[in-house]
Amino acid sequence: MQSFPVLTVTLLVPVIGAACIMLLSADNRKTIKYIAASSTFISLVLTLVVFFAFDRSQPGMQFVESIPWVKDLGVAYALGVDGISIPMLLLTNLIGFSAVYASWQVEERAKEFFALLLLLITGVMGTFVATDLFIFFLFYEVVVIPIYLLIIMFGSSKRVTREYAGMKLTIYLLIGSAFLLVGLISLFIKAQAILGFPTMDISTLAAVDFPVWFQVFVFALMALGFGTLLSMFPFHAWSPDGYAGAPTAVSMIHAGVLKKIGGYGLIRIGLYILPLGAKYIAPLIAVLAIANVVYAAFICVSQKDLKYIVGYSSVSHMGYVLIGIAALNLISLNGAVMMMYAHGVMAALFFAMIGNLYEKSHTREVTDFGGLAHQMPRLATGLMLAGLASLGLPGLVNFIGEFTIFVGAFREYQILTIVAVSGIVLTAVYILRTLGDVLFGPRKAQWDHLADLRGVEMVPLIVLGGAIVIGGILPFTLMELINSGMGQLLAHASLTQMGGGL
Amino acid sequence: MNQILQGAWIIPVLPLLAFVIIGMFLHRWPKWAATVSILAIGLAMLYSLLVALEVFSAQPGEVFVMAVPWLNMPGLQVNMGILIDPLSTVMLLVVTIVALLVQVYSLGYMEGDPGFASYFAYQSIFAGSMLGLVLSSNFGQVFVFWELVGLCSYLLIGFWFERESAKEAAKKAFITNRVGDFGFLLGILFLAVLFGNLDYATLEARLANYQNLAVLIPIAFLLFAGPIGKSAQFPLHVWLPDAMEGPTPVSALIHAATMVAAGVYLLARAFFIFSAVPQAMLFIAAVGGFTALFAASIALVQDDIKRILAYSTLSQLGYMVMALGIGAMTAGMFHLMTHAFFKSLLFLGAGSVIHALNGEQNIWKMGGLAPKMPVTTWTFVIGALALAGIPPLSGFWSKDEILLGAYASGNMLLYGLGSIVAFMTAFYMFRLIFVAFFGSSKHDRHAHESKPVMTVPLLVLAVLSFGAGFVGSPLMGNVFAHYITAPGVLHHQPNVSIMAISSLLAMAGIALAWIIYQKQAISHLSLRRRWAGVYQLLYHKYYIDELYARLAAVFVDGTARVLEWVDLRIVNGAVNGLAYLTAWTGRTLRYTEDGQVQTYALYLFAGVVVILISALLVVYTALA
Amino acid sequence: MIGLTHYMILSSLLFGIGVYGVLSKRNAVAILMSVELMLNAVNINFVAINRFINPDQVVGQLFAIVVIVVAAAEVSVGLALIISIYRHRKSVNLSDFNLLKW
């Protein structure tokens, strides 16, 4: 294992797939799709290998690779995974694999579509396995361009045009990354002044004793940057419009994993390197998190477009992640990572099902539907599963995340957590209304021509639905990992002692 | 002994396994699905009997706990396990027996339904979750299964989802329960934060010498929110009557016998917390007593056979909750058990009638069923007598225990309330019986007795409704109270005068119903006219549903619309405004680019002049 | 006695006339000529300042010669451009050359 660079290979397979697709003629749509499917499948298998081969008794980075790259800047091509990044990596690959199948009906410009999709997946994976700030940022920027192109080329225009959606999303991402870049550069310069040598290595930076004011300043920048990415209130406006405009696969990847780079970054970079900054900024984040939860949940109640409902609901759920991060204790942070994973599979399943429905019916208005469980029982199963996961039903993976976050957050912010818990009632209201209006009620003859899921369309349902159920019934499979990674991270930041002090 | 108890985890797992098998392989083969489901619950019942033999041959107070870690990290520990003591064993028996009988009955009732296989799948997952709830060894596990039975209830209420009303009822049930669960979850969070552990045993030991009892006050109130929702106590009772949209066997099993009793079971299970907080106990008793009276009064005037039974269930659950609140935990659990038998009997009997009349549920359109459906009629009468509390049927013993407890607690208000409810119960049940089963036929359908697959469960339940009370009767030495008890539970000497009063009240209720509805010595129509205001108020259930609908429309949808406006106009408006500002700046500034070299040169010189002047100014001010 | 100030006034006037010509003339050739005026104003300054402030050295004169050389090169390139534009547009009027307008 030591000699085989499994992470690099996992990253490279989709790139090679994309390259192969670009070499093919655009008419070979079948071959293009097979290449996309098989390269994401190989990545998924390799990730599962990493998942099972990861030595749980030893916290810390494993499968480490490091090649010096730009010596003068201390940049190295450094990869590694620990208990926090493995769930994210797994999530990316589960969703990437499903996303290819959810886009099986793409015929027009399929070549560009799948090449860009594979590139996007690589970019997202890269951010989760990078242990070097520069590499992290590099992969993050790799993500932006394919997202933009995919939306404006393949998106749909409803309430807003796809050009508007793509542009809005891209500008938000870039503004976020501008804040990040300032933060990263100041980190780099300050660290060089303190250490005497340049470095971009995250764990080396984490060992540096930055002054408090500096930590607060840089953490605030990161909270802005990563918060925008995580659709933190009031920087969430890109999310519903972006998802509504994006093609199915992009919505899946974006809501499923791309958003999670925000939470992951806040933990891995913000909290790990700048624990004191985190401590000062955290109460503010907690308040915004509550706004996320309640505000977005209320807006969901009055939405009529399925994608907007899921879009706003994902804003609402990110509030849970944020309050988990803001509470800064082991339990809440474990919950936040679990919640990111859980929300990822859930949102991806939701978007896959909605995309499929939209593909066939050409509408996403809740009021147009009704009684679809008669015509499409399998799609109904998928939507129910995603919906129930979304409202935090025990036995499904989201409950684990929410419950853990609540327990952890309750220690630090009683009142705020009580408000956050009330989100479970609101979520139940809008999810059950939506599901009821779409799936149940009298059969409508106008939808009799809709065919149920079959063949490859079942793949997202099986893969993501399976992940939701397995994670919910056997939460310890993931929680053990997360806990080992988080325990080490927090011990390093010695946050366990200072939690709640302020 | 331990080997049997150690294997008891199989009891909930069997039905859950049946659910998985049906869901994955058998949804195209309804007959096989039903077989697997019934087999699983049958085996679970047999194993429960074995467990019961073990438990009731041992000393009272012996508790068997086994648990595996499920969600563990430093500071939080949630296990999945089983806890077997007499309390959970009684629940095991009740749940498995009623579930088995209901599933057998469903073979006839649901015959030919296109969703036959999924019906049994849902029944299986319900049975599994309910048994998991009963066997839970900690609050975390209880919450998990608590929500899962809520899900099953949602799925089964909405089973005939093509009906708009079923869809709405299912949604209402889930959301109303969620409101209760919100409080319940907060209570659990409090416990988790305070103790870092949710196991009953650990908590009980920790609480025994816990000094700061004041923190238990919010915990007890919050935890009680769960039972308010699940056991449909006022003010969260609105979902249960609507839940009758589900198939009738479902109403019998979930919305009468088992799931709604889970709230009472939780109160009994966590009695060590509640009994430490007198304020909460008083509140619980008050809520229970009020619900009992409130629901019974509504049941007096309803026309739908299932709704009458539903309000009766509410009222009886109120009884149980009241019993727990006054510290008579044994009596409450006893009533839970007997009620499970006779109320499921009543529901299944009602189902038999509805089945025979092709779905007719209005009692005024029935009548004259007794000769045509003898088994259904007479088992129904037994159930009604048991519910009314006529000695020596089971309901008499359990209701009497509760009244005795209320009397002994010294709270005469609650005792009086309980007695009035006993009278009302007898009245509305026999109003139903005289109108629906006796008298002249008011329909043109050929009612006929149901098939044996439906009547045999009725007979079994009739026997249980008749006899199950003897385990707790003073005549038999009250074995029930010997086993089902907890620290702080009060036991009282049987009091013959209380027994006599409650029996007389019940008989008076029956007699009044007979006079009005059978003899028709007093016209119920003229009564209805004379008390039109009261009648309308009761008939419309005190307009609480309307009130809630209005409140939800104002607060939830109203806030939603306001916030949507804020999001679109203010948040998005700010974003778009920023974008517009950028574009506007660009549009405005472009006029400076006229393409004339000389204009650019002019700017250049002007710039130079400005810089020179400002530089000079700086120099001069610096010198001066 | 003619001092530095007189030279400076002369060069300023010359420079001002040049600027005026550059900004107000429409004929490209006239503008080139105006630019020459400005350059010569600078040259006068160079030589005069060198003479009055640092008479031992000839830095100013050297610079003036460099400017004259560059100005010659500039005029040749400028005229070449003007001729090339004239061939396309049949005009040496600057207001006709607004290809960069918004």
Side-chain angles (χ1 to χ4, degrees), chain B residues 374-438:
Chain B
V375 181
T376 304
T377 305
W378 294 112
T379 50
F380 198 89
V381 170
I382 290 177
L385 286 170
L387 172 57
I390 300 297
L393 279 78
S394 59
F396 167 73
W397 303 111
S398 54
K399 190 179 286 185
D400 188 68
E401 284 277 307
I402 294 177
L403 290 176
L404 178 65
Y407 182 78
S409 75
N411 195 331
M412 283 307 128
L413 183 69
L414 286 178
Y415 172 69
L417 214 133
S419 303
I420 295 171
V421 173
F423 170 75
M424 288 159 91
T425 308
F427 177 79
Y428 67 66
M429 277 319 293
F430 279 84
R431 168 179 175 266
L432 192 169
I433 285 180
F434 290 131
V435 171
F437 289 89
F438 297 95

Side-chain angles (χ1 to χ4, degrees), chain B residues 180-517:
Chain B
D181 294 347
F182 166 54
F184 187 31
L185 183 60
L186 284 179
I188 294 176
L189 292 181
F190 252 114
L191 286 175
V193 171
L194 274 182
F195 300 102
N197 192 310
L198 294 170
D199 286 344
Y200 295 129
T202 320
L203 286 175
E204 193 167 1
R206 296 277 293 277
L207 282 179
N209 42 18
Y210 194 68
Q211 302 300 325
N212 190 8
L213 282 177
V215 300
L216 284 184
I217 295 174
I219 293 179
F221 276 96
L222 286 170
L223 286 179
F224 181 53
I228 288 185
K230 191 116 302 186
S231 291
Q233 296 298 293
F234 183 84
L236 296 182
H237 63 280
V238 288
W239 66 272
L240 186 57
D242 287 10
M244 298 302 133
E245 285 295 333
T248 309
V250 171
S251 311
L253 176 64
I254 300 184
H255 304 116
T258 54
M259 186 190 82
V260 290
V264 180
Y265 175 68
L266 184 85
L267 288 178
R269 180 51 79 202
F271 194 70
F272 62 93
I273 294 180
F274 293 106
S275 59
V277 185
Q279 299 95 319
M281 289 294 271
L282 185 66
F283 181 69
I284 292 171
V287 167
F290 179 74
T291 308
L293 182 68
F294 167 84
S297 71
I298 297 176
L300 293 176
V301 299
Q302 295 300 311
D303 296 332
D304 182 315
I305 186 169
K306 285 183 74 180
R307 284 195 175 248
I308 298 175
L309 291 176
Y311 280 105
S312 159
T313 307
L314 281 182
S315 170
Q316 299 300 311
L317 288 167
Y319 254 124
M320 298 173 211
V321 170
M322 182 180 90
L324 269 297
I326 54 179
M329 185 270 255
T330 310
M333 284 307 295
F334 187 28
H335 197 58
L336 191 164
M337 181 185 84
T338 58
H339 175 260
F341 293 135
F342 59 68
K343 191 51 71 64
S344 52
L345 167 62
L346 289 171
F347 265 111
L348 293 184
S352 175
V353 171
I354 295 167
H355 198 61
L357 298 179
N358 297 332
E360 184 55 65
Q361 300 198 6
N362 189 331
I363 55 171
W364 299 100
K365 294 181 180 162
M366 297 177 179
L369 295 173
K372 294 176 198 154
M373 309 178 71
V375 181
T376 304
T377 305
W378 294 112
T379 50
F380 198 89
V381 170
I382 290 177
L385 286 170
L387 172 57
I390 300 297
L393 279 78
S394 59
F396 167 73
W397 303 111
S398 54
K399 190 179 286 185
D400 188 68
E401 284 277 307
I402 294 177
L403 290 176
L404 178 65
Y407 182 78
S409 75
N411 195 331
M412 283 307 128
L413 183 69
L414 286 178
Y415 172 69
L417 214 133
S419 303
I420 295 171
V421 173
F423 170 75
M424 288 159 91
T425 308
F427 177 79
Y428 67 66
M429 277 319 293
F430 279 84
R431 168 179 175 266
L432 192 169
I433 285 180
F434 290 131
V435 171
F437 289 89
F438 297 95
S440 56
S441 175
K442 293 149 197 108
H443 56 87
D444 47 7
R445 302 188 183 88
H446 293 286
H448 52 84
E449 187 55 275
S450 301
K451 283 186 288 188
V453 73
M454 286 164 74
T455 50
V456 169
L458 289 179
L459 289 168
V460 176
L461 283 171
V463 171
L464 286 168
S465 303
F466 188 89
F470 289 111
V471 295
S473 111
L475 299 177
M476 311 279 283
N478 206 342
V479 194
F480 193 82
H482 185 58
Y483 278 99
I484 309 291
T485 186
V489 173
L490 308 170
H491 296 285
H492 307 287
Q493 286 306 310
N495 185 328
V496 179
S497 57
I498 286 180
M499 287 186 186
I501 292 172
S502 74
S503 318
L504 282 177
L505 279 171
M507 285 182 212
I510 296 175
L512 187 64
W514 185 75
I515 291 169
I516 298 179
Y517 296 101

Side-chain angles (χ1 to χ4, degrees), chain C residues 6-67:
Chain C
H6 298 88
Y7 287 100
M8 298 277 259
I9 291 171
L10 173 66
S11 76
S12 301
L13 283 174
L14 212 50
F15 190 82
I17 294 167
V19 168
Y20 173 76
V22 166
L23 296 183
S24 64
K25 291 291 162 192
R26 288 286 173 264
N27 191 309
V29 181
I31 289 174
L32 270 185
M33 289 159 70
S34 307
V35 170
E36 288 306 309
L37 279 184
M38 288 160 67
L39 288 170
N40 284 330
V42 173
N43 285 348
I44 291 174
N45 259 2
F46 271 130
V47 176
I49 291 173
N50 192 56
R51 169 70 184 74
F52 281 96
I53 294 184
N54 196 1
D56 304 338
Q57 288 182 326
V58 285
V59 185
Q61 282 88 335
L62 273 179
F63 254 103
I65 290 170
V66 170
V67 170

